[in-house]
Amino acid sequence: PGSDIVDAVTFFTKAYLVDGKNYKVYDPVTNTSSVWYATGADITLPGGDGATGSEGTGTYDENPRCTIIETYNGRIVMAGKSDEANNWFMSAIGDPWDWDITQAVADGGAVTGTSGSIGEASEYITALVPMDGDRLLIAGTSTISMLTEDPRTTTAQLVNLSRQTGIVGQYAWCYGPYKTVFFVGENGLYSIKPNEFDVNESNRVSLGRLDKTFLDIDFAKYNCRLVYDHVLHGVHIFLTPTNQITGPATHYYFDTRANSFWKIEMPSVV
């Protein structure tokens, strides 16, 4: 509703959608949407099933729901629930309808940051980034942690990669070549490779370039989205104003082959 961002993932043959108020499932075969709910008595999706969302089939319960959704290791993983902003939530393996955290995690059951031994993130979660293998980045605006393995293993840990740099938004990252992840922190563009377990200034691709430009951006006023261009071999950094502006909107492009940044302007309606 309104200006809420709708996030979605595909899982098997359906799409699962969240916006902080609702949970929906879209079936492209029948071109129909329906309520997304959790199976089992007294079990609900985080914040309540879709039936009690603002666009649900019942009376809206006004409970916050998740705004971030990704797929990870055969699970759906969500975050961005405003009243549990540090918490993350995972469905059972292979079943986006199973959110019963009383089942054994070792058997692939559902799990959250507060239900198991791994723990919550250290600050409000702004982005979830599934990486190569069993790893998952859980980021705030000034921290990045890595879930080293699926929670079903006894050796899974949430380890800290940075206490200074984070990811500014849920779409402010993208996959690049060779399993590299690019992302925007509050002071520039970063990259992290699959086998790196530390994020510092050496990861800042934009170091010494556009430093003041990035620092002057109030990311609360923009939806930052990264897209890797496999044809042009570069990263598009789209900065879409959350409120409509009258003049052109400014975006940036990083050319990986020339190792250079380019300023791009587009009509604000794009």
Side-chain angles (χ1 to χ4, degrees), residues 23-244:
Y23 292 125
K24 293 282 189 177
V25 181
Y26 173 70
D27 187 338
V29 176
T30 59
N31 192 28
T32 57
S33 64
S34 59
V35 169
W36 183 15
Y37 58 88
T39 55
D42 301 321
I43 305 296
T44 69
L45 288 137
D49 289 335
T52 50
S54 64
E55 300 296 320
T57 57
T59 302
Y60 181 34
D61 58 15
E62 298 187 3
N63 290 334
R65 288 162 172 79
C66 293
T67 57
I68 304 170
I69 185 170
E70 295 290 340
T71 55
Y72 163 73
N73 213 30
R75 304 175 184 265
I76 281 184
V77 56
M78 298 195 291
K81 189 169 176 284
S82 62
D83 60 344
E84 295 182 78
N86 296 51
N87 207 1
W88 47 269
F89 309 86
M90 290 188 186
S91 72
I93 293 178
D95 190 349
W97 305 83
D98 184 350
W99 295 83
D100 186 356
I101 58 175
T102 66
Q103 301 300 310
V105 178
D107 296 330
V111 62
T112 72
T114 52
S115 70
S117 60
I118 296 173
E120 296 180 299
S122 58
E123 68 169 338
Y124 292 177
I125 297 172
T126 57
L128 299 170
V129 184
M131 292 193 72
D132 183 49
D134 287 347
R135 292 173 298 168
L136 174 72
L137 296 184
I138 300 176
T141 56
S142 58
T143 62
I144 299 177
S145 299
M146 176 186 287
L147 182 61
T148 57
E149 299 176 81
D150 189 275
R152 75 180 186 279
T153 66
T154 57
T155 54
Q157 300 178 67
L158 192 62
V159 299
N160 186 268
L161 303 189
S162 174
R163 297 186 187 278
Q164 294 180 319
T165 300
I167 302 178
V168 298
Q170 66 195 89
Y171 302 120
W173 63 273
C174 67
Y175 297 116
Y178 310 111
K179 302 176 182 178
T180 296
V181 171
F182 290 95
F183 65 89
V184 169
E186 290 183 325
N187 62 346
L189 177 67
Y190 286 76
S191 69
I192 180 170
K193 295 180 173 59
N195 295 320
E196 290 185 303
F197 290 87
D198 184 29
V199 175
N200 53 51
E201 286 297 277
S202 66
N203 297 88
R204 183 147 61 107
V205 178
S206 60
L207 181 63
R209 295 171 294 179
L210 301 181
D211 290 344
K212 187 177 186 304
T213 297
F214 279 110
L215 286 171
D216 286 344
I217 296 173
D218 182 357
F219 286 102
K221 297 180 179 179
Y222 295 90
N223 293 320
C224 179
R225 179 185 291 271
L226 266 61
V227 179
Y228 188 81
D229 192 323
H230 290 275
V231 176
L232 299 177
H233 303 280
V235 180
H236 294 278
I237 304 172
F238 294 114
L239 297 168
T240 304
T242 53
N243 293 316
Q244 184 72 51

Side-chain angles (χ1 to χ4, degrees), residues 250-261:
T250 300
H251 312 279
Y252 296 92
Y253 178 75
F254 172 62
D255 189 321
T256 59
R257 291 183 295 183
N259 193 28
S260 60
F261 282 85

